[in-house]
Amino acid sequence: MNTPTLAAEGSWELRPTGCAILFIDIAGSLRITRQLGDARAYHVLKFLSNAIRPAETNTGRVVRSLGDGVLLTFRTVDEALVHAATAQREVARCSPSDITLKIRCGIHWGSVIQADGDIFGVAVYLASRVTNHANGGEILLTDAAHEASGRGPDVFIDFGPTLLPGFDEPVRVFEYLWD
């Protein structure tokens, strides 16, 4: 029986590229599923996922669907902010059930490895952790994303250094005032 091994030599030359990483997640999807039941919740979550996915109006690319959310990349942080705010407005406008539904968004600017139609790297984990830190209806950014944005300071609230799971050093987090 052959055991797979990882070659010590080979094509390790995947070049990192900078991008804005946006996670959009439906807040409380487990609660929603428990309240609505599996079948009805599936249709509600699918509806919401389809409402927040589109990226045709900008340079965004859907990297993967996550069941109750989506991972996208953009050339600029400002394009990610526009997409996140549009998704927030769309969900607020067209809730398909009697349960209040909200999404949470997290944005980070960083280097990723793009391979096999996916993205990899510490920057992806950081964007995910920032999203998990958000409440429903919020768009949170890392300091790197905030600095890469061309938006004025009056549209952000500085949460200051924040400890995020898996990271030893605090990350400065900002909220984007989208509404």
Side-chain angles (χ1 to χ4, degrees):
M1 179 174 163
N2 286 344
T3 304
T5 60
L6 185 60
E9 310 237 354
S11 179
W12 293 94
E13 299 203 26
L14 297 170
R15 298 198 192 321
T17 58
C19 67
I21 304 157
L22 168 62
F23 271 100
I24 302 176
D25 174 87
I26 299 167
S29 57
L30 175 58
R31 174 187 53 80
I32 293 166
T33 302
R34 284 183 171 160
Q35 286 180 304
L36 297 178
D38 291 343
R40 188 164 172 228
Y42 166 78
H43 290 291
V44 169
L45 296 175
K46 184 174 173 100
F47 173 85
L48 284 178
S49 183
N50 289 336
I52 62 180
R53 278 180 65 100
E56 303 88 32
T57 60
N58 48 46
T59 62
R61 176 177 79 89
V62 174
V63 176
R64 73 178 95 116
S65 177
L66 306 166
D68 65 346
V70 64
L71 168 62
L72 304 103
T73 59
F74 295 84
R75 287 195 305 220
T76 71
V77 169
D78 290 333
E79 290 168 342
L81 286 169
V82 166
H83 187 84
T86 301
Q88 289 283 11
R89 283 187 205 94
E90 187 64 14
V91 169
R93 182 185 70 78
C94 61
S95 183
S97 79
D98 51 343
I99 294 174
T100 301
L101 302 170
K102 293 187 177 191
I103 58 173
R104 54 191 185 163
C105 304
I107 302 171
H108 176 59
W109 174 265
S111 293
V112 297
I113 299 293
Q114 296 186 36
D116 300 326
D118 207 344
I119 59 172
F120 305 90
V122 173
V124 179
Y125 290 100
L126 185 51
S128 173
R129 298 309 189 273
V130 169
T131 306
N132 291 338
H133 191 69
N135 292 313
E138 289 183 335
I139 300 171
L140 299 186
L141 297 85
T142 63
D143 190 35
H146 175 259
E147 295 218 0
S149 171
R151 307 279 168 133
D154 56 328
V155 295
F156 296 103
I157 296 174
D158 186 349
F159 285 177
T162 305
L163 278 174
L164 299 173
F167 291 87
D168 296 333
E169 297 296 320
V171 175
R172 194 164 172 198
V173 174
F174 294 82
E175 181 181 1
Y176 175 61
L177 303 174
W178 60 272
D179 192 12

